[in-house]
Amino acid sequence: MIIFQDLAEGAEATASISEEKTLSVIDLIVNGGTGSVVIIIVLFILLFVALYIYFERIFAIKAASKIDKNFMNQIRDHIMNGKVDAAKILCAQTDSPVARLTEKGVSRIGKPLDDINTAIENAGTLEVYKLEKNVSVLATVAGAAPMIGFLGTVIGMILAFHEMASSGGQAEMGSLASGIYTAMTTTVAGLVVGIIAYIGYNHLVNRTDKVVHQMEATAVEFLDLLNEPI
């Protein structure tokens, strides 16, 4: 009976130790104090903003990259046959940056080639600006989120050591360590938000560059079309 009682007591002690060591993320956030909670809330807001901008831009860029493969062939046929109005209508019916660039060029047929090229370049600048809308905000979140997280950790460390100094060096190490690792949760949260925003930013830049390359290729093809003998 004594052996079974000892085993039961040992199991209860092990269970209590495991319960003490188990700490949820919510507990870490709540136990960090008001400053930690405020910083975590700010980081969650930044995460929401980053995700919203990423998905909004990725769908916009995906839509901008879609274009009919026969679009330029149809433009070529219309221009070669002298149907400039038909080419304008085709561009107006196609909702894409490539079509809008081509429309600028078509509307200036008959003018010097340099004027046409300038008009296409100006239109391209506007289209790139539209594609990059709010992407800079994503870059700002990627850089600011880790710094905000570090700020929360530094504040937590200051408060922990202030408590130690106020108690004349007699503060319990358990409570001191608890305050320190709880404060470090803001660093983890800041790094997570920063990494997500950084990856999203670079992915959007890569996708935007592909659309810009597509616009440049179309502009060159259109200018070559105007130089072809009729």
Side-chain angles (χ1 to χ4, degrees):
M1 293 294 292
I2 296 176
I3 296 176
F4 287 115
Q5 184 177 359
D6 291 340
L7 291 174
E9 291 178 354
E12 290 178 358
T14 304
S16 63
I17 293 173
S18 63
E19 289 178 358
E20 291 178 358
K21 291 183 178 179
T22 302
L23 189 62
S24 65
V25 177
I26 297 177
D27 292 334
L28 286 173
I29 296 173
V30 173
N31 294 335
T34 305
S36 176
V37 173
V38 171
I39 289 177
I40 292 294
I41 291 174
V42 171
L43 290 173
F44 271 117
I45 293 173
L46 291 179
L47 177 61
F48 174 78
V49 171
L51 292 176
Y52 173 80
I53 292 175
Y54 172 76
F55 285 108
E56 188 272 333
R57 284 293 87 199
I58 201 67
F59 288 129
I61 294 172
K62 185 177 180 180
S65 62
K66 290 182 179 180
I67 188 171
D68 188 1
K69 294 181 179 179
N70 294 322
F71 174 76
M72 288 306 299
N73 292 331
Q74 293 175 335
I75 294 294
R76 180 188 299 273
D77 293 338
H78 289 321
I79 293 177
M80 288 299 182
N81 294 326
K83 300 178 180 178
V84 178
D85 292 336
K88 291 181 181 179
I89 293 173
L90 177 61
C91 293
Q93 292 176 346
T94 306
D95 185 17
S96 70
V98 169
R100 288 189 283 271
L101 259 64
T102 306
E103 184 178 11
K104 287 292 183 181
V106 171
S107 63
R108 283 164 176 76
I109 289 180
K111 295 184 179 180
L113 198 60
D114 290 339
D115 293 345
I116 298 175
N117 188 25
T118 301
I120 293 176
E121 288 180 353
N122 292 336
T125 302
L126 294 175
E127 293 298 331
V128 172
Y129 176 78
K130 292 178 182 178
L131 291 174
E132 295 178 346
K133 179 182 177 182
N134 293 330
V135 175
S136 60
V137 177
L138 202 59
T140 302
V141 172
M147 297 179 67
I148 294 174
F150 291 144
L151 175 63
T153 297
V154 172
I155 292 174
M157 296 286 285
I158 291 173
L159 293 176
F161 283 107
H162 175 71
E163 181 180 353
M164 184 191 304
S166 300
S167 61
Q170 300 299 321
E172 295 183 2
M173 292 302 298
S175 60
L176 184 62
S178 177
I180 292 175
Y181 75 71
T182 302
M184 293 183 69
T185 56
T186 59
T187 297
V188 175
L191 289 173
V192 170
V193 175
I195 290 171
I196 293 174
Y198 182 75
I199 293 174
Y201 170 77
N202 282 281
H203 185 236
L204 290 179
V205 169
N206 184 44
R207 293 292 299 269
T208 302
D209 288 341
K210 290 181 179 179
V211 178
V212 171
H213 176 72
Q214 187 180 42
M215 289 191 296
E216 291 176 348
T218 302
V220 171
E221 185 177 357
F222 178 76
L223 293 175
D224 290 341
L225 171 62
L226 297 181
N227 286 325
E228 291 182 3
I230 301 177

